[in-house]
Amino acid sequence: MVRVHSYEKIVDNASVTHIPLKSCASIGSNFENFEPNSIYSAIKLNNTENNAMMEEAWEALLKSYVYYKGLPVGTLAAMDPTAEALNYNQRLSLSNETSQCWWRSRDSKEFPVKNSPPPRLRETLVADFGGSAIGRVAPVDSGFWWIILLRSCTKCTHNHTLSEMPEVQRGMKLILNLFLSDGFDTFPTHLCADGCSMIDRRMGIYGYPIEIQALFYFALRCSREMLKPERDGKELIKRIDKRITALNYHIRNYYWLDFTKLNNIYRYKTEYSHTAVNKFNVIPESIPDWVFDFMPLRGGYLIGNVSPARMDFRWFLVGNCIAILSSLVTPAQATSIMDLIEERWEDLIGEMPLKIVYPALEGHVWRTVTGFDPKNTRWSYHNALIWLLAAACIKTGRPQIAKRAIELMEQRLSKDGWPEYYDGKAGSYVGKQARKYQTWSITGYLVAKL
């Protein structure tokens, strides 16, 4: 579906997405002569805060590159020489063959490059549509990220050629038609958002987790900017506008929690009417005790999930940061989220930034909800998410928060071998099943630092 010469542009544009525009000029505009090292050199020249840890991170990232027909098409998930590979030797790659597979199944995320045995060496891409995933659960959030990344590339390069290609426009429409279809939230594909709502939850998600809602909103806004109003495009844009308006109102009003809102919920009564204040029949006695101690007078956040009589009052980093970046929350709410992080620094950041969720489920509740899943460990920190925090801090004018968190990370991340995640209430211990030299830990640090 995507021609090879167009794909070369995809690789180059995707690689410079998070590079300052002044660095893009240093790389050059000759897509045919793309060299991974040129990106490293350009950033090294333009980054005044370069240090030994960044040098090490870039070198480790370059070693993880996967090549297909001479072009870099992705990275390995981890380069740990002491651990079993599992699915860590696979990663998303983007090419002509990959794109054709994408349209057939929009849940696919891994396309390992396979080499045929000698004497005839031949590289092929083998699509994995969830068959080797944990619990055979294929995530759908890759579709959201595909659209967001495409918009990011377009904004960075000021080049609309890629996003306006018929194949790419068709790809967006296929993804959006799936997401905007009636009953999408109950589809089997809506089981797990990879790397964002797995922690402390069963893989079969129930209700409407904030991570998915925020990503959905972000992808809709990005699509709205790129879709061409041709043929069925006009009708799709109308559906997007309608959903954006409804989602915006719903999240800002029903997912938001601060001291005032908590005090109101504490006094809720059971009601039966169209004008009911307690719309979701939340019984005050169901509010966990920890919420009252956790909620400061200054600050607030979007709670984890909202469903009738069952609200997940926990803090989830991904949903809150993406809500800031996509402007799903108001400027005042974005400021309150940053206030909360500062007020509850020890709880949310700890010794090794940063918590994906607070507080963690423990004991019998953790065992029954997650099914004893050892890759779903309570009190786990995922280092790759530092870039999301840094981006949210920059947007809200609070870069000092990100700087403080990054400085904490720099004390140990490299010395510990760039582990996948940390365990413990303060993030003191390298995770039990954490792989070393994890690509997302490395790139998360680099993007945050830049």
Side-chain angles (χ1 to χ4, degrees):
M1 298 298 292
V2 179
R3 292 179 294 278
V4 173
H5 73 271
S6 299
Y7 162 64
E8 291 172 359
K9 295 180 180 180
I10 293 174
V11 174
D12 202 25
N13 287 349
S15 299
V16 301
T17 300
H18 296 291
I19 302 174
L21 290 178
K22 63 180 181 180
S23 299
C24 294
S26 304
I27 295 172
S29 58
N30 188 352
F31 296 119
E32 306 300 324
N33 298 320
F34 170 76
E35 284 289 340
N37 285 318
S38 65
I39 299 173
Y40 172 48
S41 300
I43 293 177
K44 187 175 178 181
L45 287 171
N46 288 281
N47 181 33
T48 57
E49 294 186 11
N50 192 49
N51 54 34
M53 186 168 170
M54 287 193 74
E55 293 260 4
E56 180 189 340
W58 276 109
E59 289 173 6
L61 177 59
L62 291 173
K63 288 179 182 177
S64 73
Y65 272 42
V66 174
Y67 290 84
Y68 178 68
K69 296 182 178 179
L71 287 172
V73 294
T75 66
L76 298 177
M79 298 283 287
D80 191 342
T82 64
E84 185 182 355
L86 294 177
N87 69 331
Y88 288 82
N89 63 344
Q90 303 175 14
R91 208 61 183 161
L92 174 67
S93 56
L94 299 169
S95 74
N96 186 30
E97 288 86 342
T98 299
S99 300
Q100 293 178 31
C101 294
W102 175 266
W103 308 135
R104 291 199 294 270
S105 175
R106 292 169 296 279
D107 304 328
S108 181
K109 66 168 181 175
E110 293 178 347
F111 292 85
V113 178
K114 301 289 186 182
N115 293 315
S116 62
R120 295 185 62 187
L121 290 175
R122 189 169 68 90
E123 293 179 325
T124 56
L125 290 176
V126 181
D128 173 17
F129 300 111
S132 62
I134 299 174
R136 302 301 182 262
V137 176
V140 296
D141 67 322
S142 53
F144 295 126
W145 283 115
W146 187 83
I147 293 172
I148 294 166
L149 176 61
L150 180 62
R151 176 61 179 157
S152 180
C153 292
T154 302
K155 286 193 68 175
C156 177
T157 61
H158 304 287
N159 188 336
H160 298 264
T161 305
L162 175 62
S163 63
E164 291 180 356
M165 287 174 60
E167 299 94 329
V168 175
Q169 288 285 314
R170 179 169 176 254
M172 278 193 289
K173 290 174 183 177
L174 284 169
I175 294 170
L176 290 167
N177 281 324
L178 171 67
F179 293 158
L180 292 170
S181 59
D182 293 337
F184 169 69
D185 56 336
T186 61
F187 283 11
T189 49
H190 193 199
L191 286 174
C192 176
D194 192 24
C196 62
S197 58
M198 244 178 101
I199 302 301
D200 281 355
R201 285 182 175 151
R202 54 189 288 265
M203 295 186 78
I205 290 174
Y206 53 88
Y208 304 88
I210 186 58
E211 302 96 329
I212 295 294
Q213 302 304 308
L215 271 176
F216 186 24
Y217 182 82
F218 205 173
L220 289 177
R221 287 202 63 191
C222 290
S223 301
R224 184 66 177 82
E225 296 293 324
M226 295 185 293
L227 269 180
K228 298 171 70 176
E230 298 174 355
R231 298 180 184 177
D232 55 343
K234 286 185 178 179
E235 182 59 33
L236 196 53
I237 288 173
K238 288 181 181 177
R239 292 167 63 192
I240 289 172
D241 287 340
K242 184 177 179 181
R243 182 60 69 90
I244 283 177
T245 301
L247 195 58
N248 186 288
Y249 176 85
H250 186 82
I251 299 297
R252 289 182 179 182
N253 286 276
Y254 301 133
Y255 278 71
W256 183 252
L257 189 69
D258 55 19
F259 184 83
T260 301
K261 186 74 175 289
L262 180 61
N263 198 43
N264 291 338
I265 296 175
Y266 180 69
R267 293 173 52 80
Y268 272 174
K269 298 177 176 61
T270 302
E271 300 176 86
Y272 303 90
S273 73
H274 292 291
T275 59
V277 175
N278 187 6
K279 297 182 184 297
F280 296 100
N281 190 36
V282 179
I283 308 303
E285 285 73 18
S286 69
I287 304 174
D289 291 338
W290 67 263
V291 177
F292 298 102
D293 297 326
F294 176 72
M295 181 60 68
L297 292 174
R298 186 177 72 101
Y301 64 102
L302 297 173
I303 65 175
N305 207 331
V306 173
S307 55
R310 188 175 183 177
M311 288 188 170
D312 188 344
F313 286 94
R314 293 180 296 163
W315 149 273
F316 285 86
L317 173 93
V318 174
N320 277 273
C321 284
I322 291 178
I324 291 174
L325 297 178
S326 63
S327 297
L328 175 56
V329 291
T330 66
Q333 287 174 332
T335 298
S336 290
I337 292 172
M338 288 296 133
D339 289 341
L340 180 83
I341 292 173
E342 285 192 316
E343 292 286 331
R344 294 292 179 260
W345 184 267
E346 296 302 321
D347 292 328
L348 302 180
I349 304 299
E351 294 179 13
M352 174 52 68
L354 43 93
K355 278 190 179 72
I356 195 172
V357 59
Y358 180 86
L361 299 179
E362 295 189 271
H364 178 69
V365 177
W366 175 81
R367 289 191 290 270
T368 55
V369 170
T370 70
F372 264 100
D373 184 1
K375 288 293 290 180
N376 215 348
T377 309
R378 52 211 180 274
W379 298 117
S380 289
Y381 289 60
H382 281 235
N383 308 311
L385 300 177
I386 190 70
W387 75 269
L388 269 177
L389 176 66
C393 290
I394 291 169
K395 180 162 184 175
T396 54
R398 309 279 276 277
Q400 70 278 6
I401 296 178
K403 188 173 186 294
R404 184 182 172 191
I406 292 171
E407 287 173 351
L408 271 177
M409 177 175 284
E410 288 177 328
Q411 294 176 17
R412 288 189 54 192
L413 191 58
S414 172
K415 294 177 182 178
D416 291 340
W418 306 92
E420 180 182 0
Y421 61 92
Y422 285 78
D423 283 344
K425 288 188 176 182
S428 305
Y429 304 96
V430 175
K432 285 183 180 179
Q433 294 198 32
R435 297 311 195 262
K436 297 291 186 72
Y437 297 97
Q438 185 77 21
T439 304
W440 65 53
S441 293
I442 294 167
T443 54
Y445 165 72
L446 284 171
V447 173
K449 188 75 173 178
L450 290 170

